[in-house]
Amino acid sequence: MSNRVIRESYGVVYREQAQFKDTYGGEPGTVFIECMRILPEGVPSTTVLVFSHPIGGGAFLPIMSQLARQGMHVLFVNTRYRGNDSALIMEKCLLDLGAGIRDAKERFGYEKVVLGGWSGGGSLALFYQEQAEHPSITMTPAGDPVDLVEAALIPGDGLILIAAHVSRSVTLTEWLDASIRNEKDPEDRDPELDLYNPKGVQPPYSEDFLVRYRAAQIARSERITGWVQEQLARRIRAEGPGAELGFVVHGTMADPRWLDPAVDPNDRVPGTCYLGDPRTVNMGPVGLARFCTLRSWLSQWSLSQSRAHGEKNAASVSCPTLVIGNTADNACTPSHTQRLFDAIPHKRKVRTDIEGATHYYAGQSEKCAQAARVCAAWLAEKGLA
């Protein structure tokens, strides 16, 4: 089966009560999100696969078109933070995704919704489903109101996770450059932990080194969190509830896995990451979490404070779940796929791997089509097609 794909873009507008704006432009209290349906021409369906990602932009990923070619209706909901996660609040991403789902059911008459999660959209989907099934959050980690109980999010009837990682906070922590000792001076480094120092430790890495390195990454994350909490509290006392501060986090792409293929092994190419050469990206402008605000760090990146944590969120999910891993993925490695699968508490779950597939399926149309066929077969088996 290979259907012709058509695309429909549209917007969804809704109101929210907020103390301040965290995106540029527009009337305070008004949220606008961009949506795109990717459809098999002439094929009706009462089920829609809804994907989102914290910073959006995934509507043109190869997997979205392939799913539609296999006969599925796909909807990609961009959050309000499309293309810029500097001030992103994960709890508000759930509100945006929920607005997109509610609108799709009302606008197009879909009866069933299957949540799709690719890469960082996987933990977002799990966070959403947790709060849709068991709503509990009424404020952000910074203490700002965001009522997910009152929002009455519509739960998905199923979940499909593709090349998904555990969460933004966990992933960032596992990628932090553990050698940086001073956030104000990124050149102040511990040479014994500097992965990119040609005179320093070289792969393959010993287990003792990895344990020390991971502990230093967690310690660095917690130092940043402590500083953020102190800064936010002090500024709110001095300036009022909307006080904020932007800051830079240096050295966020230094995972030993990228240099040593024996660490969390799969078929990835050593010395690469999904953004290119990790040595360059580590200090470059596109590295994870490079530009932040105090509130966003707590909600999005803090290992101890962020509520968006795939493993923890998955423990409350009751719907059927399909987990797909790509064996040549250099972003979401096998341990993340397995951790998400293991965290799902029920037996209505399936895991499968696409051999040789990379994170984006770039230049791998057949492997991408294989993943889409797996999804189509699973949906049919579960009565969700």
Side-chain angles (χ1 to χ4, degrees), residues 72-153:
M72 289 162 273
H73 284 215
V74 180
L75 171 64
F76 199 95
V77 178
N78 284 309
T79 73
R80 71 187 75 183
Y81 306 105
R82 169 74 168 92
N84 186 350
D85 59 5
S86 301
L88 187 148
I89 302 298
M90 292 298 298
E91 289 79 6
K92 292 188 178 183
C93 291
L94 300 197
L95 293 177
D96 295 350
L97 176 54
I101 289 173
R102 188 175 302 278
D103 175 83
K105 289 176 74 74
E106 295 173 355
R107 185 187 300 234
F108 303 112
Y110 290 116
E111 298 172 6
K112 295 178 182 177
V113 170
V114 176
L115 293 172
W118 174 85
S119 192
S123 54
L124 177 63
L126 288 165
F127 187 25
Y128 176 93
Q129 186 71 7
E130 178 208 60
Q131 287 300 304
E133 291 192 28
H134 306 285
S136 61
I137 292 174
T138 56
M139 63 180 61
T140 70
D144 299 316
V146 56
D147 197 340
L148 300 181
V149 178
E150 182 68 24
L153 303 174

Coordinates of all heavy atoms in Angstrom, one line a residue, residues 72-153:
M72 N -2.8 5.9 7.1 CA -3.2 6.5 8.4 C -3.4 8.0 8.3 O -2.6 8.7 7.6 CB -2.1 6.2 9.5 CG -2.1 4.7 9.9 SD -0.6 4.2 10.7 CE 0.4 3.8 9.3
H73 N -4.3 8.6 9.1 CA -4.5 10.0 9.2 C -3.5 10.5 10.3 O -3.5 10.0 11.4 CB -5.9 10.4 9.6 CG -6.8 10.3 8.4 ND1 -7.9 11.1 8.3 CD2 -6.9 9.4 7.4 CE1 -8.6 10.8 7.2 NE2 -8.0 9.8 6.6
V74 N -2.7 11.5 10.0 CA -1.7 12.0 10.9 C -1.9 13.4 11.2 O -2.2 14.2 10.2 CB -0.2 11.7 10.4 CG1 0.8 12.3 11.3 CG2 0.0 10.3 10.1
L75 N -1.8 13.8 12.4 CA -1.9 15.3 12.8 C -0.7 15.6 13.6 O -0.3 15.0 14.6 CB -3.1 15.5 13.6 CG -3.3 16.9 14.3 CD1 -3.4 18.0 13.2 CD2 -4.5 17.0 15.2
F76 N 0.0 16.7 13.1 CA 1.1 17.2 13.9 C 0.7 18.5 14.5 O 0.3 19.5 13.8 CB 2.4 17.4 13.1 CG 3.6 17.5 13.9 CD1 4.4 16.4 14.2 CD2 4.0 18.7 14.5 CE1 5.5 16.4 15.0 CE2 5.1 18.8 15.3 CZ 5.9 17.6 15.6
V77 N 0.8 18.6 15.9 CA 0.5 19.8 16.6 C 1.7 20.5 17.1 O 2.5 19.9 17.9 CB -0.4 19.4 17.8 CG1 -0.8 20.7 18.6 CG2 -1.7 18.8 17.4
N78 N 2.0 21.6 16.5 CA 3.2 22.4 17.0 C 2.7 23.2 18.3 O 1.7 23.8 18.4 CB 3.6 23.4 16.0 CG 4.4 22.8 14.8 OD1 5.3 22.1 15.1 ND2 4.0 23.1 13.6
T79 N 3.6 23.1 19.3 CA 3.3 23.9 20.5 C 3.6 25.4 20.2 O 4.1 25.8 19.2 CB 4.2 23.5 21.7 OG1 5.6 24.0 21.5 CG2 4.2 22.0 21.8
R80 N 3.2 26.2 21.2 CA 3.4 27.7 21.0 C 4.9 28.0 20.9 O 5.3 29.1 20.5 CB 2.8 28.4 22.2 CG 3.6 28.2 23.5 CD 2.9 28.7 24.7 NE 1.7 27.9 25.1 CZ 0.9 28.3 26.1 NH1 1.1 29.4 26.8 NH2 -0.1 27.5 26.4
Y81 N 5.8 27.1 21.3 CA 7.2 27.3 21.3 C 7.9 26.8 20.1 O 9.1 26.6 20.1 CB 7.8 26.6 22.5 CG 7.2 26.9 23.9 CD1 6.3 26.0 24.5 CD2 7.4 28.2 24.5 CE1 5.7 26.4 25.7 CE2 6.8 28.5 25.7 CZ 6.0 27.6 26.3 OH 5.4 27.9 27.5
R82 N 7.1 26.7 19.0 CA 7.7 26.3 17.7 C 9.0 26.9 17.4 O 9.1 28.1 17.2 CB 6.6 26.6 16.6 CG 7.1 26.4 15.2 CD 7.2 24.9 14.8 NE 7.4 24.7 13.4 CZ 8.6 24.6 12.8 NH1 9.7 24.7 13.6 NH2 8.7 24.5 11.5
G83 N 10.1 26.1 17.3 CA 11.4 26.6 16.9 C 12.2 27.3 17.9 O 13.3 27.7 17.7
N84 N 11.7 27.5 19.2 CA 12.4 28.2 20.2 C 12.1 27.7 21.6 O 11.0 28.0 22.1 CB 12.2 29.7 20.1 CG 13.0 30.5 21.0 OD1 13.7 30.0 21.9 ND2 13.0 31.9 20.8
D85 N 13.0 27.0 22.2 CA 12.7 26.4 23.5 C 13.3 27.1 24.6 O 13.4 26.7 25.7 CB 13.1 24.9 23.5 CG 14.6 24.7 23.3 OD1 15.3 25.7 23.1 OD2 15.0 23.5 23.2
S86 N 13.8 28.4 24.4 CA 14.5 29.1 25.4 C 13.6 29.3 26.7 O 14.1 29.3 27.8 CB 14.9 30.5 24.9 OG 15.7 30.4 23.8
A87 N 12.3 29.6 26.5 CA 11.4 29.9 27.6 C 10.3 28.8 27.7 O 9.3 29.0 28.4 CB 10.8 31.2 27.5
L88 N 10.6 27.6 27.2 CA 9.6 26.6 27.1 C 9.2 26.0 28.5 O 10.0 25.7 29.3 CB 10.1 25.4 26.2 CG 9.1 24.3 25.8 CD1 9.5 23.8 24.4 CD2 9.2 23.2 26.8
I89 N 7.9 25.9 28.7 CA 7.3 25.3 29.9 C 6.6 24.0 29.5 O 5.7 24.0 28.7 CB 6.3 26.2 30.6 CG1 7.0 27.6 30.9 CG2 5.7 25.6 31.8 CD1 8.2 27.4 31.9
M90 N 7.1 22.9 30.0 CA 6.5 21.6 29.5 C 5.0 21.4 29.8 O 4.3 20.9 29.0 CB 7.3 20.4 30.2 CG 8.7 20.3 29.7 SD 9.0 19.9 28.0 CE 8.1 18.3 27.9
E91 N 4.6 22.0 31.0 CA 3.2 21.9 31.3 C 2.3 22.6 30.3 O 1.2 22.2 30.0 CB 3.0 22.4 32.7 CG 3.5 21.6 33.9 CD 5.0 21.8 34.1 OE1 5.7 22.6 33.4 OE2 5.6 21.0 34.9
K92 N 2.8 23.7 29.8 CA 2.0 24.4 28.8 C 2.0 23.7 27.4 O 1.1 23.9 26.6 CB 2.6 25.9 28.6 CG 2.3 26.7 29.9 CD 2.7 28.2 29.6 CE 2.4 29.0 30.9 NZ 2.7 30.4 30.7
C93 N 3.1 22.9 27.2 CA 3.0 22.1 26.0 C 1.9 21.1 26.0 O 1.3 20.8 25.0 CB 4.4 21.3 25.8 SG 5.8 22.3 25.4
L94 N 1.6 20.6 27.2 CA 0.4 19.7 27.3 C -0.9 20.4 27.0 O -1.8 19.9 26.4 CB 0.4 19.1 28.8 CG 1.5 18.3 29.2 CD1 1.1 17.5 30.5 CD2 2.1 17.4 28.2
L95 N -1.0 21.7 27.5 CA -2.2 22.4 27.2 C -2.4 22.7 25.7 O -3.5 22.5 25.1 CB -2.2 23.8 27.9 CG -2.2 23.8 29.4 CD1 -2.1 25.2 30.0 CD2 -3.5 23.2 29.9
D96 N -1.2 22.9 25.0 CA -1.3 23.1 23.6 C -1.7 21.9 22.8 O -2.5 21.9 21.9 CB 0.1 23.6 23.1 CG 0.4 25.0 23.6 OD1 -0.5 25.7 24.2 OD2 1.6 25.4 23.4
L97 N -1.0 20.7 23.2 CA -1.4 19.5 22.6 C -2.8 19.1 22.9 O -3.5 18.6 22.0 CB -0.4 18.4 23.2 CG -0.7 16.9 22.7 CD1 -0.7 16.8 21.2 CD2 0.4 16.0 23.3
G98 N -3.3 19.3 24.1 CA -4.7 19.1 24.4 C -5.7 19.9 23.6 O -6.7 19.4 23.2
A99 N -5.3 21.2 23.4 CA -6.2 22.0 22.5 C -6.2 21.5 21.1 O -7.3 21.5 20.4 CB -5.7 23.5 22.6
G100 N -5.1 21.0 20.6 CA -5.0 20.5 19.2 C -5.9 19.2 19.1 O -6.5 19.0 18.1
I101 N -5.8 18.4 20.1 CA -6.6 17.1 20.1 C -8.1 17.4 20.2 O -8.9 16.8 19.4 CB -6.1 16.2 21.2 CG1 -4.7 15.6 20.9 CG2 -7.1 15.0 21.4 CD1 -4.1 14.9 22.1
R102 N -8.5 18.3 21.1 CA -9.9 18.6 21.2 C -10.4 19.2 19.9 O -11.5 18.8 19.5 CB -10.1 19.5 22.4 CG -11.5 19.8 22.8 CD -11.6 20.6 24.0 NE -11.0 20.0 25.2 CZ -11.5 19.0 25.9 NH1 -12.7 18.6 25.7 NH2 -10.8 18.5 26.9
D103 N -9.7 20.1 19.4 CA -10.1 20.7 18.1 C -10.2 19.7 17.0 O -11.2 19.8 16.2 CB -9.1 21.8 17.7 CG -9.5 22.4 16.4 OD1 -10.3 23.4 16.3 OD2 -8.9 22.0 15.4
A104 N -9.3 18.8 16.9 CA -9.3 17.8 15.8 C -10.6 16.9 15.9 O -11.2 16.6 14.9 CB -8.1 17.0 15.8
K105 N -10.9 16.5 17.1 CA -12.1 15.7 17.3 C -13.4 16.5 16.9 O -14.3 15.9 16.3 CB -12.2 15.2 18.7 CG -11.1 14.1 19.1 CD -11.2 13.7 20.5 CE -12.4 12.8 20.8 NZ -12.2 11.4 20.3
E106 N -13.4 17.7 17.3 CA -14.6 18.5 17.0 C -14.7 19.0 15.6 O -15.7 19.0 14.9 CB -14.6 19.8 17.9 CG -14.8 19.4 19.4 CD -14.6 20.6 20.3 OE1 -14.3 21.7 19.8 OE2 -14.8 20.5 21.5
R107 N -13.5 19.3 15.0 CA -13.5 19.9 13.6 C -13.6 18.8 12.6 O -14.3 18.9 11.6 CB -12.1 20.6 13.4 CG -12.0 21.3 12.1 CD -10.6 21.8 11.8 NE -10.2 22.8 12.9 CZ -9.8 24.0 12.6 NH1 -9.7 24.5 11.4 NH2 -9.4 24.8 13.6
F108 N -13.0 17.6 12.8 CA -13.0 16.5 11.8 C -13.7 15.3 12.2 O -13.9 14.4 11.4 CB -11.5 16.2 11.5 CG -10.6 17.3 11.1 CD1 -9.6 17.8 11.9 CD2 -10.9 18.0 9.9 CE1 -8.8 18.8 11.5 CE2 -10.1 19.0 9.5 CZ -9.1 19.5 10.3
G109 N -14.2 15.2 13.4 CA -15.1 14.1 13.8 C -14.3 12.8 14.1 O -14.9 11.7 14.1
Y110 N -13.0 12.9 14.4 CA -12.3 11.7 14.8 C -12.9 11.1 16.1 O -13.2 11.8 17.0 CB -10.8 12.0 15.0 CG -10.1 12.3 13.7 CD1 -9.6 13.6 13.5 CD2 -10.0 11.4 12.7 CE1 -8.9 13.9 12.3 CE2 -9.3 11.7 11.5 CZ -8.8 12.9 11.3 OH -8.1 13.2 10.1
E111 N -13.0 9.8 16.1 CA -13.5 9.1 17.2 C -12.4 8.5 18.1 O -12.6 8.4 19.4 CB -14.4 7.9 16.8 CG -15.6 8.4 16.0 CD -16.4 7.2 15.4 OE1 -16.0 6.0 15.7 OE2 -17.3 7.4 14.6
K112 N -11.3 8.2 17.6 CA -10.2 7.7 18.3 C -8.9 8.5 18.1 O -8.7 8.9 17.0 CB -9.9 6.2 18.0 CG -11.1 5.3 18.4 CD -10.8 3.8 17.9 CE -12.0 2.9 18.3 NZ -11.7 1.5 17.8
V113 N -8.1 8.6 19.1 CA -6.9 9.4 19.0 C -5.8 8.4 19.5 O -5.9 7.9 20.6 CB -6.9 10.6 19.9 CG1 -5.5 11.3 20.0 CG2 -7.9 11.7 19.3
V114 N -4.7 8.3 18.7 CA -3.5 7.6 19.1 C -2.4 8.6 19.2 O -2.1 9.3 18.3 CB -3.2 6.4 18.1 CG1 -1.9 5.8 18.5 CG2 -4.3 5.4 18.1
L115 N -1.8 8.7 20.4 CA -0.7 9.6 20.6 C 0.6 9.1 20.0 O 0.9 7.9 20.3 CB -0.5 9.9 22.1 CG -1.6 10.6 22.8 CD1 -1.3 10.7 24.3 CD2 -1.8 12.0 22.3
G116 N 1.2 9.8 19.1 CA 2.5 9.5 18.6 C 3.6 10.3 19.2 O 3.4 11.5 19.4
G117 N 4.7 9.6 19.5 CA 5.8 10.4 20.0 C 7.1 10.0 19.4 O 7.6 8.9 19.6
W118 N 7.7 10.9 18.6 CA 9.0 10.7 18.0 C 10.0 11.5 18.7 O 9.8 12.7 19.0 CB 9.0 11.1 16.5 CG 10.3 11.0 15.8 CD1 10.9 9.9 15.3 CD2 11.2 12.1 15.7 NE1 12.1 10.3 14.8 CE2 12.4 11.6 15.0 CE3 11.2 13.4 16.0 CZ2 13.5 12.4 14.7 CZ3 12.3 14.2 15.8 CH2 13.4 13.7 15.1
S119 N 11.2 10.9 19.0 CA 12.3 11.6 19.7 C 11.7 12.2 21.0 O 11.2 11.6 21.9 CB 12.9 12.6 18.8 OG 14.1 13.1 19.3
G120 N 11.9 13.6 21.2 CA 11.4 14.2 22.3 C 10.0 14.3 22.5 O 9.4 14.6 23.5
G121 N 9.2 14.0 21.4 CA 7.8 13.9 21.5 C 7.3 12.6 22.2 O 6.2 12.6 22.6
G122 N 8.2 11.7 22.4 CA 7.8 10.5 23.1 C 7.5 10.7 24.6 O 6.5 10.3 25.1
S123 N 8.5 11.4 25.2 CA 8.3 11.7 26.6 C 7.2 12.7 26.8 O 6.4 12.7 27.8 CB 9.6 12.2 27.3 OG 10.1 13.3 26.6
L124 N 7.0 13.6 25.8 CA 5.9 14.6 25.9 C 4.5 13.8 25.8 O 3.6 14.1 26.6 CB 6.0 15.5 24.7 CG 4.8 16.6 24.6 CD1 4.8 17.5 25.8 CD2 4.9 17.4 23.3
A125 N 4.4 12.8 24.9 CA 3.2 12.0 24.8 C 2.9 11.3 26.1 O 1.8 11.2 26.6 CB 3.3 11.1 23.6
L126 N 4.0 10.7 26.7 CA 3.8 10.0 28.0 C 3.4 11.0 29.1 O 2.5 10.6 29.9 CB 5.1 9.3 28.4 CG 5.4 8.1 27.5 CD1 6.8 7.6 27.7 CD2 4.4 6.9 27.9
F127 N 4.0 12.1 29.2 CA 3.6 13.2 30.1 C 2.1 13.6 29.9 O 1.3 13.7 30.9 CB 4.5 14.4 30.0 CG 4.4 15.4 31.1 CD1 3.9 15.1 32.3 CD2 4.8 16.7 30.8 CE1 3.8 16.1 33.3 CE2 4.7 17.7 31.7 CZ 4.2 17.4 33.0
Y128 N 1.8 13.8 28.7 CA 0.4 14.1 28.4 C -0.6 13.0 28.8 O -1.6 13.3 29.5 CB 0.2 14.4 26.9 CG -1.2 14.7 26.5 CD1 -1.7 16.0 26.4 CD2 -2.1 13.7 26.2 CE1 -3.0 16.3 26.0 CE2 -3.4 13.9 25.8 CZ -3.9 15.2 25.7 OH -5.2 15.5 25.4
Q129 N -0.3 11.8 28.5 CA -1.2 10.7 28.8 C -1.3 10.5 30.3 O -2.4 10.2 30.8 CB -0.7 9.4 28.1 CG -1.7 8.2 28.3 CD -3.0 8.4 27.4 OE1 -3.1 9.3 26.6 NE2 -3.9 7.5 27.6
E130 N -0.3 10.7 31.0 CA -0.3 10.6 32.5 C -1.3 11.6 33.0 O -2.2 11.3 33.9 CB 1.1 10.8 33.1 CG 1.1 10.8 34.6 CD 2.2 11.6 35.2 OE1 2.2 12.9 34.9 OE2 3.0 11.1 35.9
Q131 N -1.2 12.9 32.6 CA -2.0 13.9 33.1 C -3.4 13.9 32.5 O -4.3 14.4 33.2 CB -1.4 15.3 32.8 CG -0.1 15.6 33.6 CD -0.5 15.6 35.1 OE1 -1.4 16.3 35.6 NE2 0.2 14.8 35.9
A132 N -3.6 13.2 31.4 CA -5.0 13.0 30.9 C -5.7 11.9 31.7 O -6.9 12.0 32.0 CB -4.9 12.7 29.4
E133 N -5.0 10.9 32.0 CA -5.5 9.8 32.8 C -5.6 10.1 34.3 O -6.6 9.7 34.9 CB -4.7 8.5 32.6 CG -4.8 7.9 31.2 CD -4.2 6.5 31.1 OE1 -4.2 5.8 32.2 OE2 -3.7 6.1 30.1
H134 N -4.6 10.8 34.8 CA -4.6 11.0 36.3 C -4.1 12.5 36.5 O -3.0 12.7 37.0 CB -3.6 10.1 36.9 CG -3.9 8.6 36.7 ND1 -4.9 7.9 37.3 CD2 -3.2 7.7 35.8 CE1 -4.9 6.7 36.8 NE2 -3.9 6.5 36.0
P135 N -4.9 13.5 36.2 CA -4.5 14.9 36.3 C -4.2 15.2 37.7 O -5.0 14.9 38.7 CB -5.7 15.6 35.8 CG -6.9 14.7 35.9 CD -6.3 13.3 35.7
S136 N -3.1 15.9 37.9 CA -2.7 16.3 39.3 C -2.0 17.6 39.3 O -1.9 18.2 40.4 CB -1.7 15.2 39.8 OG -0.5 15.1 39.0
I137 N -1.5 18.2 38.2 CA -0.6 19.3 38.3 C -1.4 20.6 38.2 O -2.3 20.7 37.3 CB 0.4 19.3 37.1 CG1 1.4 18.1 37.3 CG2 1.1 20.6 37.0 CD1 2.4 17.9 36.2
T138 N -1.2 21.5 39.1 CA -1.9 22.8 39.1 C -0.9 24.0 39.0 O -1.3 25.2 39.0 CB -2.8 23.0 40.3 OG1 -2.0 22.8 41.5 CG2 -3.9 22.0 40.3
M139 N 0.4 23.7 39.1 CA 1.4 24.8 38.9 C 2.7 24.2 38.4 O 2.9 23.0 38.4 CB 1.7 25.5 40.3 CG 2.2 24.6 41.4 SD 2.5 25.5 42.9 CE 0.8 26.0 43.3
T140 N 3.5 25.1 37.8 CA 4.8 24.7 37.2 C 5.8 24.4 38.4 O 5.5 24.8 39.5 CB 5.3 25.7 36.3 OG1 5.7 26.9 37.1 CG2 4.3 26.1 35.3
P141 N 7.0 23.9 38.1 CA 8.0 23.7 39.1 C 8.4 25.1 39.7 O 8.9 25.1 40.8 CB 9.1 23.0 38.4 CG 8.5 22.2 37.3 CD 7.3 23.1 36.9
A142 N 8.2 26.2 39.0 CA 8.6 27.5 39.5 C 7.5 28.1 40.4 O 7.6 29.2 40.9 CB 8.8 28.4 38.3
G143 N 6.3 27.4 40.4 CA 5.2 27.9 41.3 C 4.2 28.7 40.5 O 3.3 29.3 41.2
D144 N 4.3 28.8 39.2 CA 3.3 29.6 38.4 C 2.1 28.7 38.1 O 2.2 27.5 37.9 CB 3.9 30.0 37.1 CG 5.2 30.9 37.3 OD1 5.1 31.8 38.1 OD2 6.2 30.7 36.6
P145 N 0.9 29.3 38.2 CA -0.3 28.5 38.0 C -0.4 27.9 36.5 O -0.2 28.6 35.6 CB -1.5 29.5 38.2 CG -0.8 30.8 38.1 CD 0.6 30.7 38.5
V146 N -0.7 26.7 36.4 CA -1.0 26.0 35.1 C -1.9 24.8 35.5 O -1.3 23.8 35.9 CB 0.3 25.6 34.4 CG1 1.2 24.8 35.2 CG2 -0.1 25.0 33.0
D147 N -3.2 24.9 35.3 CA -4.1 23.9 35.9 C -4.4 22.8 34.9 O -5.2 22.9 34.0 CB -5.4 24.6 36.3 CG -6.2 23.7 37.2 OD1 -6.0 22.5 37.3 OD2 -7.0 24.3 38.0
L148 N -3.7 21.7 35.0 CA -3.9 20.5 34.1 C -5.1 19.7 34.6 O -5.6 18.8 33.9 CB -2.7 19.7 34.0 CG -1.4 20.4 33.4 CD1 -0.3 19.4 33.3 CD2 -1.7 21.0 32.1
V149 N -5.5 19.9 35.8 CA -6.7 19.3 36.3 C -8.0 19.9 35.6 O -8.8 19.2 35.1 CB -6.8 19.4 37.8 CG1 -8.1 18.7 38.3 CG2 -5.6 18.7 38.5
E150 N -8.1 21.2 35.7 CA -9.2 21.9 35.1 C -9.2 21.7 33.6 O -10.3 21.8 32.9 CB -9.2 23.3 35.5 CG -10.3 24.2 35.0 CD -11.6 23.8 35.6 OE1 -11.6 23.3 36.7 OE2 -12.7 24.1 34.9
A151 N -8.1 21.5 33.0 CA -7.9 21.4 31.5 C -8.7 20.2 30.9 O -9.1 20.2 29.8 CB -6.5 21.4 31.1
A152 N -8.9 19.2 31.7 CA -9.6 18.0 31.3 C -9.0 17.5 30.0 O -9.8 17.4 29.0 CB -11.1 18.3 31.2
L153 N -7.8 17.2 29.9 CA -7.1 16.7 28.7 C -7.7 15.4 28.2 O -8.1 14.5 29.1 CB -5.6 16.5 29.0 CG -4.8 17.7 29.5 CD1 -3.4 17.3 29.8 CD2 -4.8 18.8 28.4

